[in-house]
Amino acid sequence: MKLLVAVKRVIDYNVKVRVKADQTGVDLANVKMSMNPFDEIAVEEAVRLKEAGIATEVVVVSIGPTQAQETLRTALAMGADRGILVQTDAEVQPLAVAKLLKAVAEKEGPGLIILGKQAIDDDSNQTGQMLAALLDWPQATFASKVAVADGKATVTREIDGGLETLALTLPAIITTDLRLNEPRYASLPNIMKAKKKPLDTVDPAALGVDIAPRLATLKVTEPPKRQGGVKVASVADLVAKLRTEAKVI
Amino acid sequence: MAVLVIAEVDAGALKPATLNAVTAAAKLGEVHVLVAGSGAAAAADAAKGIAGVAKVLHADSAEYANGLAEALTPLVVSVAKSYAAVVATATTFGKNLLPRVAALLDVQQISEVTAIESADTFVRPIYAGNALATVKSADAIKVLTVRGTAFDAAPATGGSAAVESVAAVAGSGKSAFVGQELSKSERPELTSARIVISGGRGMQNGENFALLEAVADKLGAAVGASRAAVDAGFVPNDYQVGQTGKIVAPDLYIAVGISGAIQHLAGMKDSKVIVAINKDEEAPIFQVADYGLVADLFKAVPELKEALD
C-alpha cells in the first residue's frame, strides 16, 4: 500500500510573530521557517507504517513556493521515498489545497493519506476533512493512535471529553494530533541520501484546479495587549487582591 | 435568509456548546437548529426552548448515534443548501464535521470566528492567537465554526420554536464507531468554567495535581494543564489548554508551574484575570499575569487552599 503525506512550510513554532505595520499580514521576511509540527508527526507515522511492513512507499507532497522543496527534503531525510511539489507563489486556502491534493491522490492511488490536524500559521484545521469529503473517503481526525490491518484503519481520536476509537474502511484520511508519536531527527547520512531522492514539481494549472482564494483578508491586526500586572508578596496578599480588587473569588 | 446551527448531541442530549453557536448565528439572521441523533427527541426538545431559535429541524437515525462526520455530512449538506450560513461551535465535533460539509458545498470554511462584523465579514485569530485576521467571504453560503468563549451562551429557556422532522439521509458507511474512553470528573467543564486552575511541568508528577484539585474544590473551578504536563503523563490529554488543546476564557485563570509558552498562552490569554504562581521570576507567564506570585508552588498552593477556607 502506498501512503501519501501532505506537508506544509510554515513559520517556525518558536518564532514570536510580528504583524506588519500596514496591516496586510504577518512579517515573514528573514524569519525562520520549518515543517509544520503536525506534519512532522504525519511523516513519522507514515515512515513507521513502512518500517512495520504495512506500507510499501511513502510519497510526500507540499503546495507552495520553491522553498517548500526544503520541507520536502526534510521529509525525505526522515524516511519518505519520493516528493511532489505543487509549485505556486499564490495564496492557497484549505479548500484549494484539498482540491490539489485530491488531484495528486487520484494520480498516485494511495491507500491512506496522512495530514497534520492543523497548520500553526492559519490554524484552520480543515484540509484533511475537506480532502476526505472530496474523495468521499472516511476520516479520522486528531489521531493519537493508528493501527492498520486487513483493509481497515483503527484510529483512536482525541475528543473534548477524552478518547474515541473509530474503524475506517481503506482508503481513508487520518489527521495527526501531537500525541500520535515523537518524530525522529534526520541523521546527516539520511540528509545526504535525501538529496538524491526523486522530487517532482507540478503546476497547479496542470492539475486542473482553480486555486483562486474565496476569502479576502481585509486586514491583519495585533490582538489587544494585556496590561502588565503586579507582583504580590504572599499568598495572603494574593487572596486579598482577588477578593477585594479583582472580585473574582 | 435563515442561518442553520448544527446542534451537538451526545447520548441523546443537547450539549451546551450549541448555545454559543446560537448567539453567534443570531447576529446573521433567523436561527434554525438542526438536531441529528439517534433517539434524540430530548435534544430536539431542549433546542426548541433556546431563546432566539425560530425553528428546530429534527432528524433521527441510528446512523447518527455517535456523531460521525461521514454519517452526518450528507444530511447537513442537503439541508444547508437553503440557508445563508451554517454555524457550529469549534469543539472537536464542529471542527471534525464542518470542513467536510463546506467542501461538498464548495465553500471555504472560516474557523474559530471570534467576531462577526457583517453577514460576510468575520474576525479570527491566526498564528496561535498572535494576530487577528479580518476576512471577507465571497462564497454563497458562509460556513463557520465559532469560538465558544467569544460568544455568550444563549439562554437555554424562553424560546418556543416549532419542531419539524426531516428525513434522514444515508451516509457512506465507510466508518464505524468502536468505543469511547471519557474522563470522569465532578468538576465543571473546562471550556465553560468560571475559574480554571492549571498545572504545568513544575507540578513534577501526577500525584501533585491533587494540590490543585484541593484548591479547585474550594473555588468550584475546573483543572487544566499545559502540554508539558500532558506529555509527561501527569494528566489526560483532554486537560490541555492551548493552541492545540482547549481554548478557555474564564473570569479567573490560575497558572501554577507553567512557564507560559506561546502555544499555552493561545489557549488562555483572553481570561479576565490571570494569576501566575511560579518560582522563576523571568517566566514569560508573568508578562500576561495580572497578579504574579514568585514562590515555590509546593508551599504556595497549600497556603492558597488554607487561605480559602
Side-chain angles (χ1 to χ4, degrees), chain A residues 95 99 121 124 126 129 136-137 139 141 158 160 163 165 167 179 214 216 218-219 221 226 232 245, chain B residues 70 95-96 100 106 108 111 127 132 134 136 139 174 176 178-179 181 237 240 246 269 271 291-292:
Chain A
L95 180 64
K99 288 178 180 177
D121 53 358
S124 288
Q126 298 176 8
Q129 295 89 312
D136 194 22
W137 290 5
Q139 69 190 44
T141 50
E158 299 205 354
D160 287 331
L163 299 170
T165 303
R179 241 73 61 183
R214 303 290 185 82
L218 302 183
K219 62 176 179 182
T221 54
R226 285 193 79 95
V232 294
E245 201 174 278
Chain B
E70 295 82 352
K95 290 178 192 176
N96 186 48
R100 196 169 172 111
D106 197 28
Q108 175 54 58
S111 299
Y127 293 92
L132 296 175
T134 305
K136 188 180 162 103
D139 287 313
K174 290 176 185 167
V178 177
E181 215 179 294
N237 305 345
Q240 189 186 328
K246 295 194 169 110
K269 70 188 167 80
S271 305
Y291 301 105

Side-chain angles (χ1 to χ4, degrees), chain A residues 11 13-17 19 26 28 38 41 93-96 99 117-127 129-142 144 152 154 157-171 177-179 213-224 226-236 238-239 241-243 245-249, chain B residues 8 15 66 68-70 91-93 95-97 99-100 102-104 106-112 121 124-139 172-183 194-195 219 227 230-231 237-238 240 243-246 251-252 254 262-263 268-275 277 281 286-294 300 303-304 307-308:
Chain A
I11 195 165
Y13 73 98
N14 272 319
V15 173
K16 177 96 178 78
V17 301
V19 172
V26 161
L28 295 178
F38 292 98
I41 294 167
Q93 294 175 346
L95 180 64
K99 288 178 180 177
K117 80 165 179 182
Q118 78 190 60
I120 59 162
D121 53 358
D122 66 18
D123 281 334
S124 288
N125 195 333
Q126 298 176 8
T127 304
Q129 295 89 312
M130 288 184 152
L131 179 59
L134 296 175
L135 289 167
D136 194 22
W137 290 5
Q139 69 190 44
T141 50
F142 328 142
S144 61
K152 278 201 179 328
T154 306
R157 307 175 57 225
E158 299 205 354
I159 58 169
D160 287 331
L163 299 170
E164 170 183 282
T165 303
L166 304 180
L168 311 180
T169 306
L170 298 181
D177 217 316
L178 285 171
R179 241 73 61 183
R214 303 290 185 82
L215 298 179
T217 301
L218 302 183
K219 62 176 179 182
V220 174
T221 54
E222 289 217 17
R226 285 193 79 95
Q227 291 287 347
V230 295
K231 292 255 169 75
V232 294
S234 67
V235 168
L238 174 65
V239 171
K241 283 205 154 64
L242 290 177
R243 279 201 173 119
E245 201 174 278
K247 296 189 172 64
V248 284
I249 58 171
Chain B
E8 193 166 342
K15 288 195 83 172
N66 299 298
L68 295 184
E70 295 82 352
T91 56
T92 50
F93 169 81
K95 290 178 192 176
N96 186 48
L97 175 65
R100 196 169 172 111
L104 296 184
D106 197 28
V107 165
Q108 175 54 58
Q109 189 208 288
I110 307 154
S111 299
E112 301 257 6
T121 306
R124 61 177 303 264
I126 53 176
Y127 293 92
N130 288 298
L132 296 175
T134 305
V135 294
K136 188 180 162 103
S137 168
D139 287 313
S172 67
K174 290 176 185 167
S175 62
F177 179 82
V178 177
Q180 246 180 9
E181 215 179 294
L182 300 181
S183 302
R194 205 182 64 78
I195 301 177
L219 293 169
R227 182 183 165 197
V230 170
D231 281 352
N237 305 345
D238 52 299
Q240 189 186 328
Q243 183 184 20
T244 63
K246 295 194 169 110
D251 288 347
L252 174 61
I254 307 174
I262 297 171
Q263 292 79 14
M268 47 63 83
K269 70 188 167 80
D270 292 326
S271 305
K272 208 144 106 209
V273 174
I274 298 174
V275 169
I277 300 176
E281 206 172 329
F286 286 119
Q287 291 162 23
V288 299
D290 299 280
Y291 301 105
L293 176 64
V294 181
E303 271 179 39
L304 178 59
L308 294 168

Side-chain angles (χ1 to χ4, degrees), chain A residues 51-101:
Chain A
E51 287 167 348
I54 292 162
T56 49
E57 189 187 24
V58 177
V59 180
V60 282
V61 54
S62 191
I63 297 161
T66 321
Q67 296 92 314
Q69 284 191 10
E70 295 160 22
T71 311
L72 288 169
R73 292 285 173 205
T74 305
L76 296 174
M78 288 173 71
D81 297 295
R82 188 155 63 78
I84 301 170
L85 173 63
V86 181
Q87 194 176 328
T88 172
D89 289 322
E91 183 197 357
V92 194
Q93 294 175 346
L95 180 64
V97 171
K99 288 178 180 177
L100 290 168
L101 292 176

